[in-house]
């Protein structure tokens, strides 16, 4: 391949950095809602990683001679290019294309996809968001919050963050009740061998319901 052919190629056709990009994607995958929160307004299934799609779009936009990671972490303007995603789902491709300065067009047969992408990528004023939030809070807070109350060890009424509903079955061998629940740790580090400190604390173990326990955990 001569130098002329090389200059005409895009980065993704020559030396796309799959290995380094995979390491970035691994870190993002541990806390996706922190690194790419705009795509997590809705719990859409099969959601892809933003860092991967940023890399793919950049690879298709950059020439083979360009510095990939300078562009990855820098400001870009590919306004002369259009990215089309006819099956946009949660809108990761569309969002990353817009961040890179591309013109983006997205479509989906599912109207929920179209609604959540439009909501995620539209502009709102802080005052408008706060007004809507407080309106919802005033309408439903008391109705919902009354189901999330318990009595503390000091006898005070307090709010509950999580309820765990655990079903019991009688053991066919011994007849004792057993819990259909493997672990009370609902969150732990993505790499336990590096930080094996996840713990669960349950100050109130049993409740008065036959098929339900109420546990309140703290993750250390």
């Amino acid at each position: 391949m001569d130098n002329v052919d090389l200059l005409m190629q895009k980065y993704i056709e020559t030396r796309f950095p799959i290995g380094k990009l995979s390491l970035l994607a691994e870190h993002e995958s541990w806390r996706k809602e922190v690194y790419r929160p705009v795509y997590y307004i809705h719990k859409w299934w099969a959601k892809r990683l933003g860092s991967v799609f940023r890399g793919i779009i950049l690879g298709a936009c950059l020439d083979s001679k360009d510095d990939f990671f300078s562009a990855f972490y820098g400001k870009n303007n590919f306004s002369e290019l259009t990215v089309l995603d006819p099956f946009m789902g949660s809108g990761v491709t569309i969002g990353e294309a817009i961040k890179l300065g591309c013109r983006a067009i997205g479509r989906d047969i599912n109207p929920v996809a179209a609604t959540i992408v439009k909501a995620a990528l539209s502009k709102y004023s802080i005052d408008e968001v706060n007004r809507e939030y407080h309106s919802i809070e005033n309408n439903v807070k008391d109705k919902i919050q009354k189901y999330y109350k318990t009595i503390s060890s000091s006898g005070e009424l307090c709010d509950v963050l999580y309820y765990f509903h655990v079903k019991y079955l009688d053991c066919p061998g011994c007849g004792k009740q057993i819990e259909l629940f493997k672990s009370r740790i609902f969150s732990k580090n993505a790499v336990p061998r590096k930080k094996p400190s996840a713990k669960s604390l349950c100050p109130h173990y049993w409740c008065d319901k036959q098929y339900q326990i109420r546990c309140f955990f703290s993750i250390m």
Side-chain angles (χ1 to χ4, degrees), residues 198-217:
K199 298 177 182 178
S200 61
L201 302 177
C202 179
H204 303 286
Y205 187 59
W206 301 106
C207 76
D208 54 1
K209 302 289 186 181
Q210 184 178 3
Y211 296 110
Q212 179 179 321
I213 63 171
R214 296 176 184 175
C215 293
F216 314 101
F217 302 109

Side-chain angles (χ1 to χ4, degrees), residues 129-185:
V129 173
N130 285 334
R131 281 197 302 272
E132 190 65 27
Y133 174 83
H134 290 304
S135 175
I136 296 172
E137 181 184 33
N138 292 334
N139 286 329
V140 302
K141 177 182 177 181
D142 293 338
K143 297 176 183 177
I144 295 176
Q145 204 167 36
K146 67 181 181 182
Y147 297 107
Y148 290 84
K149 298 288 184 181
T150 190
I151 304 298
S152 70
S153 57
S154 60
E156 298 178 359
L157 186 66
C158 57
D159 295 330
V160 173
L161 184 59
Y162 296 106
Y163 279 122
F164 276 75
H165 300 271
V166 180
K167 188 173 182 180
Y168 288 84
L169 286 179
D170 294 333
C171 174
C174 66
K176 294 182 179 180
Q177 286 189 333
I178 56 173
E179 304 171 8
L180 302 182
F181 200 58
K182 292 182 178 180
S183 173
R184 287 180 172 75
I185 298 178

Side-chain angles (χ1 to χ4, degrees), residues 8-198:
M8 294 176 63
Q9 287 189 310
K10 293 299 181 182
Y11 205 102
I12 201 169
E13 300 176 282
T14 56
R15 49 200 178 97
F16 190 66
I18 295 176
K20 290 184 178 180
L21 200 57
S22 295
L23 293 175
L24 287 174
E26 182 182 7
H27 283 288
E28 181 186 340
S29 69
W30 294 345
R31 293 297 304 276
K32 297 184 287 291
E33 76 284 1
V34 172
Y35 296 116
R36 291 293 198 284
V38 72
Y39 307 130
Y40 288 85
I41 291 176
H42 185 281
K43 291 291 184 181
W44 193 263
W45 53 87
K47 199 183 299 285
R48 306 307 179 190
L49 296 173
S51 54
V52 172
F53 275 80
R54 181 178 178 85
I56 292 173
I57 297 169
L58 262 180
C61 292
L62 294 173
D63 294 330
S64 58
K65 66 182 187 319
D66 292 327
D67 187 328
F68 180 87
F69 282 102
S70 290
F72 190 92
Y73 291 110
K75 185 177 181 180
N76 301 272
N77 183 6
F78 298 105
S79 55
E80 75 282 4
L81 300 177
T82 300
V83 174
L84 168 65
D85 186 354
F87 312 103
M88 64 181 176
S90 63
V92 175
T93 305
I94 300 301
E96 294 304 312
I98 292 173
K99 291 177 186 179
L100 291 171
C102 300
R103 179 173 181 261
I105 301 174
R107 295 180 64 88
D108 202 285
I109 194 173
N110 193 322
V112 176
T115 300
I116 63 175
V117 173
K118 183 177 180 181
L121 301 181
S122 294
K123 292 183 179 180
Y124 305 93
S125 71
I126 296 298
D127 290 339
E128 182 182 358
V129 173
N130 285 334
R131 281 197 302 272
E132 190 65 27
Y133 174 83
H134 290 304
S135 175
I136 296 172
E137 181 184 33
N138 292 334
N139 286 329
V140 302
K141 177 182 177 181
D142 293 338
K143 297 176 183 177
I144 295 176
Q145 204 167 36
K146 67 181 181 182
Y147 297 107
Y148 290 84
K149 298 288 184 181
T150 190
I151 304 298
S152 70
S153 57
S154 60
E156 298 178 359
L157 186 66
C158 57
D159 295 330
V160 173
L161 184 59
Y162 296 106
Y163 279 122
F164 276 75
H165 300 271
V166 180
K167 188 173 182 180
Y168 288 84
L169 286 179
D170 294 333
C171 174
C174 66
K176 294 182 179 180
Q177 286 189 333
I178 56 173
E179 304 171 8
L180 302 182
F181 200 58
K182 292 182 178 180
S183 173
R184 287 180 172 75
I185 298 178
F186 62 87
S187 178
K188 59 183 179 180
N189 289 295
V191 186
R193 67 179 180 275
K194 292 183 179 180
K195 293 184 178 180
S197 59

